[in-house]
Amino acid sequence: MMDATGRPQSLLLLGGTSEIGLAVADAWAEQAPGLRVVLAARPGERRDAAAARLEGRGCRVEVHDFDALDDGAHVRVVEKARAGGDVDVAVVAYGVLGDPERAWQDPEEAGRIARTNYTAPVLSGVALAAMVRAQGHGVVVALSSVASERPRRSNFVYGSSKAGMDAFYTGLGEALRPLGGRVLVVRPGFVRSRMTEGLDAAPLAVGPDEVARAVVDGVAAGREQVWVPRPLRPVMSTLRHLPRPVFRRLPL
């Protein structure tokens, strides 16, 4: 159970090698010594390194094989995580940016992005909802994107997949609220990370640690949505309501 200050005692990372997900685990590990962390990720050096990093911070780490594109894996890995005790917070941390120009012309690339960023998170969300119902408590953190607010020409396949994910988890929050659960939808802007390596940083770019702090603060405060950084909220609200001919001329 979360303690009186809103700090979790157990954390499940779906996408256990995600830089943002690991930064979230680091942040809570500082606040909650002995934090139990379940890393759900594909086996390999990156998962091993992630487990060693968290163990070095005093976490009790469990690792489970998880491939988001395996439809049956979502229920299996959530049940395995819960077999070791209740999960206080689960972070849906996986996703892909993809090749924007290839994505709208190549069915294989479009399908990969859509399945990874929308279909798989929906399956994770359904599995996590069952967990929250059984436990009677739990927070689900969904890493969405500001791209979900208004898809742009430059990466609209990615943006559309995040828009679907964002809508699903926003609705899931309403469904779980009467059952003792909560959902926090996190909308970062440009995050300097492995995913965006080689790309020019957009204005108001942040690092994984800043997103992690927003997640930790948002969970502790019982928020349902956070923007990272916070000024992006009015910026995106303005962009969302711009007439299409004006929006089209912006260098986005």
Side-chain angles (χ1 to χ4, degrees):
M1 294 284 286
M2 308 272 275
D3 68 15
T5 61
R7 292 177 299 197
Q9 305 302 305
S10 60
L11 171 67
L12 166 61
L13 290 183
L14 292 168
T17 60
S18 154
E19 289 172 271
I20 295 175
L22 290 172
V24 170
D26 286 343
W28 266 316
E30 289 182 5
Q31 299 181 3
L35 175 72
R36 173 184 173 233
V37 181
V38 181
L39 292 180
R42 285 176 293 199
E45 292 181 0
R46 283 172 52 186
R47 191 180 73 180
D48 294 343
R53 163 179 163 174
L54 292 172
E55 287 171 345
R57 293 182 178 275
C59 297
R60 296 177 290 119
V61 180
E62 301 171 23
V63 294
H64 295 296
D65 294 350
F66 173 65
D67 182 343
L69 297 182
D70 175 356
D71 287 355
H74 303 266
V75 170
R76 287 199 302 271
V77 79
V78 170
E79 288 180 347
K80 286 179 181 176
R82 192 161 175 251
D86 282 4
V87 173
D88 295 330
V89 178
V91 183
V92 181
Y94 56 81
V96 294
L97 184 59
D99 181 329
E101 283 306 299
R102 185 183 160 207
W104 68 272
Q105 302 175 76
D106 179 350
E108 183 175 341
E109 178 69 351
R112 183 179 75 93
I113 294 170
R115 286 193 297 273
T116 306
N117 292 348
Y118 176 66
T119 304
V122 168
L123 295 175
S124 288
V126 171
L128 292 170
M131 179 194 78
V132 170
R133 288 200 305 271
Q135 294 181 167
H137 71 95
V139 180
V140 176
V141 177
L143 295 181
S144 179
S145 167
V146 296
S148 67
E149 273 292 281
R150 184 167 186 175
R152 298 170 290 153
R153 164 64 183 84
S154 58
N155 68 352
F156 63 91
V157 176
Y158 171 80
S160 67
S161 66
K162 284 294 187 180
M165 176 205 186
D166 194 295
F168 172 81
Y169 279 93
T170 298
L172 187 64
E174 296 302 316
L176 291 180
R177 201 156 55 96
L179 305 174
R182 286 195 286 124
V183 174
L184 172 64
V185 175
V186 183
R187 296 173 181 150
F190 188 99
V191 180
R192 293 183 293 270
S193 66
R194 194 167 49 235
M195 179 186 284
T196 58
E197 193 171 5
L199 301 178
D200 294 332
L204 300 176
V206 296
D209 289 346
E210 292 164 88
V211 182
R213 283 196 295 274
V215 170
V216 169
D217 292 346
V219 169
R223 296 194 178 97
E224 297 175 337
Q225 295 175 344
V226 295
W227 301 74
V228 193
R230 193 172 297 178
L232 274 177
R233 181 172 189 172
V235 170
M236 292 307 299
S237 180
T238 301
L239 291 176
R240 184 176 189 177
H241 294 94
L242 279 180
R244 186 179 298 275
V246 177
F247 186 75
R248 187 176 292 141
R249 288 200 292 271
L250 296 178
L252 298 172

